Amino acid sequence: MIKRFLGVFIALAIALTGLHADRRPLMIDSLELRLQHINTSRDSVSTLLDILDLSTGNEARMEVASRVYDAAVNAGDTMAQIESILYMSNLSQRDTAMLATLSDRIGAYPPTDRVREVDLFIDMLRLENEIRNDTARTAREQISQLIQDFSSAPPEDPYERAKMLYSVCSHLSTATRGDLLETYIDKIDRLVESMPLPMGAVRNLVYTRAAPVFTNNGSPARAVEIDKKTLNIIDSMSVAYAARGRKYRRLEHNRYNCYRRMLGNYQALTSTEIESYHRSILNLAEKNSWVAADLAANPRADAFYYMATKRYPEAIDAIKKALLRPENQSYEFYLYNALFEAAKATGDRQTQLDAAIELNELLREQIDDKAGERYRELQIIYDVGELQAENTELEQSRQSAALRNTYVVIVISALALLLLLGMMGMLARQYRKMKRMASDLKETADRLRNERNQLREAQEELIEARDKAKSADRMKAEFINNMSHEIKTPLAAVAEYTRLIVDCIPDDKRNYLERFASIIDLNTKLVLTLMNDVLDIASLEHGNMTVTAEPTTARQIAMVALDSVFENELSRKPGVKVLFNTSNAPDVAVTTDSQRAVQILTNLLSNAEKFTDKGSIVLNYEVSPDGKHLVYSVTDTGIGIPDGKEEKIFERFNQLDNSASGCGLGLYITRLLARLLGAEVKLDTSYHKGARFIFSLPL
């Protein structure tokens, strides 16, 4: 009686004061007292689940989860049994022996969707442990064999296919974090999206492993997309727990970690999302003391929020505190990069210099790591190709053996026929007829065999030539893209650090170094322009560049192009005037990809300025007489185009003046972009005072 009264009193006190992390032990004691007076196993399960949701620490949770399982077995509550097995699996992620026991336990249930998901979840955790405990690390050949097995014969069962894909991703993550890993992460992402996984555990595991990969690879939008899926899972699980009376199962830690990861990718968030996620973190901190303590000790979320909202002084303080936390080691590059940006915005030269030094070291390590990862990735791709070639060779050997057996059968049949004919010697006429038939058959077989061998050889040569051509084209495109992207970052760093060095030099010596810094800056821009041209050509020639048609105006396209080439519509050459719309044509609405149209006009204007030393550069536009096209013209008084070169200038790497800057890609890219928009770029051959290019854009 006293115990029952005490339990009621404690429950009443908790109800009056509200739930808080400091009161959880008191609440657990109350529930334990209540548990002593429960007579049915089903009610015991419900109370034990509340105790489990209030418990803290893995050891305590594991003990309560085991009690839940035993009570659920006694009550015949299969749902609670499966949930407790999943909960214990999550707590035992690195306990190989316990995971094996739980795998045997879940394997005893009928294979429903929930059971199969928990079984798959445990298998994924066990696979991670196997790779983690492999002190010799994963052999490259093993990764290549896994990829080859999945590519050649993927399992029909989606759960087995998901397990195999997760194995490929887990093994790949030990060797590379590059494009190959992202490709297989996308595959397993699409697969688990299509599978019946009602518990949400497998999707949550895949997403929490995938999001950091995209963040580290500089794909913040993809990382945010993954974390938004994780939030949807958390919301669905919260609704399901609430519907089953699990009032203390709130998943606040999971939400906090997810919001914090997304703020770390603030570049891919809208201002509304940034404010919403930060406000959600603050709300969680008000409700949950663990979240509040972690936020106070590790202000990483605040640091990225201040950077996203351009509150740079507050960002500098938060970043410096976050950098002192060892758990933020994987975020060092992003934190120092943010610190450099914030210090630059506030004019804090010392902090900017310190951040630049750290960034330089991290960038060097990152470049080395990327190069090593890319090398290992190429080795894996090469090994997969070798395995495919071996399989093809084995298949050809099998077919050859089958043909040899067929030939043996034919020969034996012919001998049997001849023996039979010999025994029928008295039928001479029939014998001669059969002999002629056998001879004709042999000749036909020889002819067919020769033709078959010739066809096979021709087919093999064509397949080999096709594969080599595809491989060479693919490797060329990959090499160009990878090298261009890898060179951009060091070039940007060279330009930035050059400017930083000049800014740090005393004023009396700055003018001397300013000229050299300008030369470096100019040449860096020239190299970046060349790389962008090469990337544009690769995208256009391989059909990878997309078109986004949006409403705009003829004047807006022209003004953006002018501002891109000329500052205040003034040429850098003193003897050249820049004129726009000298015909006073009215503005015209047009629906097209304005970015590509601006790029075309920018190339034409830049070309005109390059070859015009005096006179004028005129940009006009008008609607064609049939009303179907918007026609731009770029007219200059430069050196002009010689007769017979009207189409030659649009070819790749073609320059009329070899002493001019550039490499002859501008007009080539311009025509490719025009074709992408369904437009046309050509030279007006009737104009002879310089050069006039016509850009005709469909309305």
Side-chain angles (χ1 to χ4, degrees):
M1 184 69 180
I2 294 175
K3 289 182 178 180
R4 182 175 299 176
F5 176 79
L6 180 60
V8 172
F9 176 79
I10 294 173
L12 179 60
I14 292 168
L16 292 173
T17 56
L19 176 63
H20 195 275
D22 295 338
R23 302 186 183 92
R24 290 190 179 191
L26 191 63
M27 298 180 69
I28 293 173
D29 291 340
S30 172
L31 292 170
E32 290 286 0
L33 287 174
R34 182 193 303 171
L35 194 62
Q36 297 177 13
H37 301 284
I38 292 176
N39 297 321
T40 65
S41 298
R42 185 167 295 277
D43 290 338
S44 297
V45 171
S46 177
T47 304
L48 283 169
L49 284 173
D50 286 342
I51 295 174
L52 178 61
D53 295 338
L54 290 169
S55 298
T56 58
N58 283 3
E59 185 174 351
R61 289 175 178 172
M62 194 69 182
E63 188 270 336
V64 179
S66 181
R67 291 170 62 191
V68 171
Y69 176 80
D70 294 336
V73 170
N74 293 332
D77 188 344
T78 305
M79 178 69 176
Q81 295 172 42
I82 295 172
E83 282 193 348
S84 62
I85 293 174
L86 176 60
Y87 199 99
M88 287 188 284
S89 301
N90 203 31
L91 292 173
S92 308
Q93 290 191 16
R94 298 205 174 191
D95 189 342
T96 304
M98 187 62 187
L99 289 175
T101 300
L102 294 172
S103 178
D104 293 338
R105 189 175 291 179
I106 197 66
Y109 292 86
T112 63
D113 290 340
R114 293 180 181 275
V115 170
R116 297 205 69 184
E117 181 180 1
V118 175
D119 188 41
L120 176 59
F121 179 80
I122 295 173
D123 284 341
M124 287 178 169
L125 295 179
R126 295 177 70 183
L127 178 65
E128 286 184 348
N129 281 338
E130 291 176 5
I131 297 174
R132 188 182 298 112
N133 296 330
D134 182 10
T135 56
R137 306 300 291 172
T138 304
R140 192 183 78 217
E141 293 78 11
Q142 184 177 356
I143 299 175
S144 304
Q145 188 63 57
L146 279 171
I147 295 175
Q148 168 62 19
D149 291 344
F150 180 82
S151 301
S152 60
E156 293 183 0
D157 180 58
Y159 292 89
E160 290 298 321
R161 193 157 64 252
K163 180 180 176 181
M164 193 172 187
L165 263 176
Y166 195 78
S167 177
V168 172
C169 292
S170 299
H171 281 87
L172 272 175
S173 65
T174 65
T176 176
R177 292 288 179 118
D179 296 340
L180 189 61
L181 177 57
E182 288 190 8
T183 298
Y184 281 91
I185 287 177
D186 287 336
K187 289 179 184 292
I188 195 170
D189 179 18
R190 290 192 297 270
L191 178 58
V192 299
E193 280 287 334
S194 65
M195 291 174 62
L197 301 169
M199 306 287 284
V202 169
R203 290 195 183 100
N204 187 61
L205 179 63
V206 170
Y207 295 155
T208 53
R209 300 297 191 267
V213 172
F214 290 107
T215 298
N216 292 334
N217 285 356
S219 303
R222 190 74 176 92
V224 168
E225 177 187 350
I226 293 292
D227 278 327
K228 285 181 178 179
K229 292 181 181 181
T230 305
L231 274 181
N232 290 336
I233 293 174
I234 294 173
D235 291 338
S236 301
M237 293 171 67
S238 298
V239 171
Y241 285 133
R244 294 201 295 272
R246 300 276 294 275
K247 52 184 175 294
Y248 304 123
R249 184 70 168 150
R250 299 181 180 178
L251 305 174
E252 292 172 342
H253 293 189
N254 306 71
R255 290 183 184 276
Y256 170 66
N257 290 328
C258 196
Y259 289 138
R260 185 167 61 176
R261 280 199 306 271
M262 286 196 290
L263 283 177
N265 293 290
Y266 63 85
Q267 300 91 338
L269 299 176
T270 64
S271 58
T272 302
E273 289 174 331
I274 291 168
E275 293 294 340
S276 174
Y277 295 151
H278 187 255
R279 186 167 55 252
S280 297
I281 288 179
L282 297 181
N283 291 338
L284 288 174
E286 291 177 1
K287 300 175 185 177
N288 189 297
S289 62
W290 181 89
V291 173
D294 186 80
L295 186 61
N298 181 11
R300 191 176 79 219
D302 287 337
F304 287 126
Y305 169 72
Y306 293 143
M307 287 300 301
T309 55
K310 303 186 185 305
R311 294 162 60 177
Y312 296 120
E314 296 165 275
I316 290 174
D317 292 336
I319 292 169
K320 288 181 177 179
K321 291 179 182 178
L323 284 169
L324 298 176
R325 305 292 298 182
E327 60 266 33
N328 292 332
Q329 185 177 2
S330 60
Y331 288 86
E332 278 188 342
F333 178 83
Y334 306 98
L335 289 171
Y336 276 117
N337 192 51
L339 183 61
F340 179 87
E341 181 181 347
K344 183 178 180 181
T346 58
D348 187 345
R349 296 294 187 186
Q350 184 58 47
T351 301
Q352 185 181 2
L353 181 59
D354 293 342
I357 293 172
E358 294 294 340
L359 267 178
N360 184 53
E361 181 63 21
L362 291 172
L363 185 61
R364 184 181 61 79
E365 295 174 358
Q366 192 177 75
I367 291 173
D368 291 341
D369 292 341
K370 286 288 185 183
E373 288 181 359
R374 185 57 182 163
Y375 176 74
R376 291 190 293 272
E377 186 173 292
L378 290 173
Q379 284 182 318
I380 293 170
I381 294 172
Y382 176 81
D383 290 342
V384 172
E386 287 288 308
L387 287 173
Q388 290 175 341
E390 290 177 6
N391 290 340
T392 302
E393 185 176 350
L394 289 173
E395 179 64 21
Q396 291 174 349
S397 299
R398 187 189 63 79
Q399 292 179 356
S400 298
L403 289 173
R404 284 195 299 271
N405 292 336
T406 302
Y407 176 77
V408 171
V409 171
I410 292 174
V411 171
I412 293 174
S413 299
L415 291 174
L417 179 61
L418 291 174
L419 180 61
L420 180 61
L421 290 174
M423 294 174 62
M424 300 174 62
M426 62 178 59
L427 301 175
R429 182 178 178 182
Q430 189 67 25
Y431 171 78
R432 289 192 298 270
K433 182 179 180 181
M434 293 301 296
K435 187 175 181 180
R436 287 194 302 271
M437 289 177 63
S439 177
D440 293 342
L441 180 62
K442 186 177 183 302
E443 291 177 1
T444 302
D446 291 340
R447 185 174 67 254
L448 290 175
R449 185 164 51 252
N450 291 333
E451 291 177 356
R452 179 200 62 199
N453 292 335
Q454 292 173 0
L455 287 173
R456 182 185 295 124
E457 291 175 358
Q459 182 184 26
E460 289 174 353
E461 291 175 357
L462 289 173
I463 290 173
E464 183 180 0
R466 180 201 64 192
D467 291 344
K468 286 182 177 179
K470 287 184 177 180
S471 177
D473 186 62
R474 182 174 62 255
M475 291 180 70
K476 179 194 73 174
E478 289 179 356
F479 177 78
I480 290 174
N481 287 333
N482 289 333
M483 289 305 297
S484 298
H485 286 298
E486 292 296 334
I487 290 172
K488 276 186 176 182
T489 300
L491 279 176
V494 169
E496 187 65 29
Y497 292 152
T498 302
R499 179 55 53 190
L500 181 59
I501 290 170
V502 173
D503 290 344
C504 294
I505 294 298
D507 293 339
D508 58 340
K509 297 181 179 179
R510 183 173 299 176
N511 291 335
Y512 176 73
L513 294 177
E514 188 73 41
R515 179 168 63 90
F516 297 102
S518 299
I519 294 173
I520 292 174
D521 188 51
L522 174 62
N523 284 276
T524 301
K525 289 179 180 178
L526 289 174
V527 175
L528 287 173
T529 300
L530 174 59
M531 286 191 298
N532 289 332
D533 288 346
V534 173
L535 286 173
D536 285 345
I537 289 175
S539 298
L540 287 165
E541 290 182 342
H542 289 82
N544 296 331
M545 187 172 289
T546 58
V547 173
T548 303
E550 295 179 346
T552 185
T553 66
R555 185 177 184 84
Q556 183 175 359
I557 292 173
M559 292 304 297
V560 173
L562 282 170
D563 291 341
S564 299
V565 179
F566 307 105
E567 185 174 353
N568 298 325
E569 298 186 18
L570 295 175
S571 174
R572 287 181 290 271
K573 298 179 178 179
V576 178
K577 293 182 179 180
V578 180
L579 304 174
F580 169 59
N581 196 15
T582 56
S583 60
N584 293 321
D587 203 357
V588 180
V590 61
T591 299
T592 187
D593 191 325
S594 59
Q595 179 183 353
R596 306 305 177 196
V598 167
Q599 189 175 354
I600 291 171
L601 285 180
T602 300
N603 286 351
L604 295 177
L605 289 169
S606 299
N607 205 55
E609 185 187 31
K610 184 190 300 184
F611 296 105
T612 303
D613 292 328
K614 61 180 180 178
S616 63
I617 299 173
V618 182
L619 172 60
N620 272 321
Y621 65 85
E622 63 180 0
V623 178
S624 63
D626 60 4
K628 295 182 179 180
H629 293 83
L630 173 62
V631 181
Y632 287 96
S633 65
V634 177
T635 307
D636 63 62
T637 58
I639 61 176
I641 307 299
D643 293 338
K645 302 291 186 178
E646 293 85 356
E647 290 299 319
K648 196 75 174 176
I649 58 175
F650 289 100
E651 295 179 1
R652 183 165 48 182
F653 303 118
N654 191 286
Q655 283 186 294
L656 297 180
D657 184 1
N658 292 328
S659 64
S661 61
C663 58
L665 293 176
L667 291 178
Y668 176 70
I669 294 174
T670 299
R671 176 160 283 185
L672 290 179
L673 287 171
R675 291 172 179 171
L676 185 67
L677 297 178
E680 182 184 14
V681 173
K682 63 181 181 179
L683 179 70
D684 185 356
T685 56
S686 65
Y687 179 74
H688 300 289
K689 296 180 180 180
R692 175 181 291 154
F693 287 89
I694 306 298
F695 170 33
S696 181
L697 184 66
L699 286 173

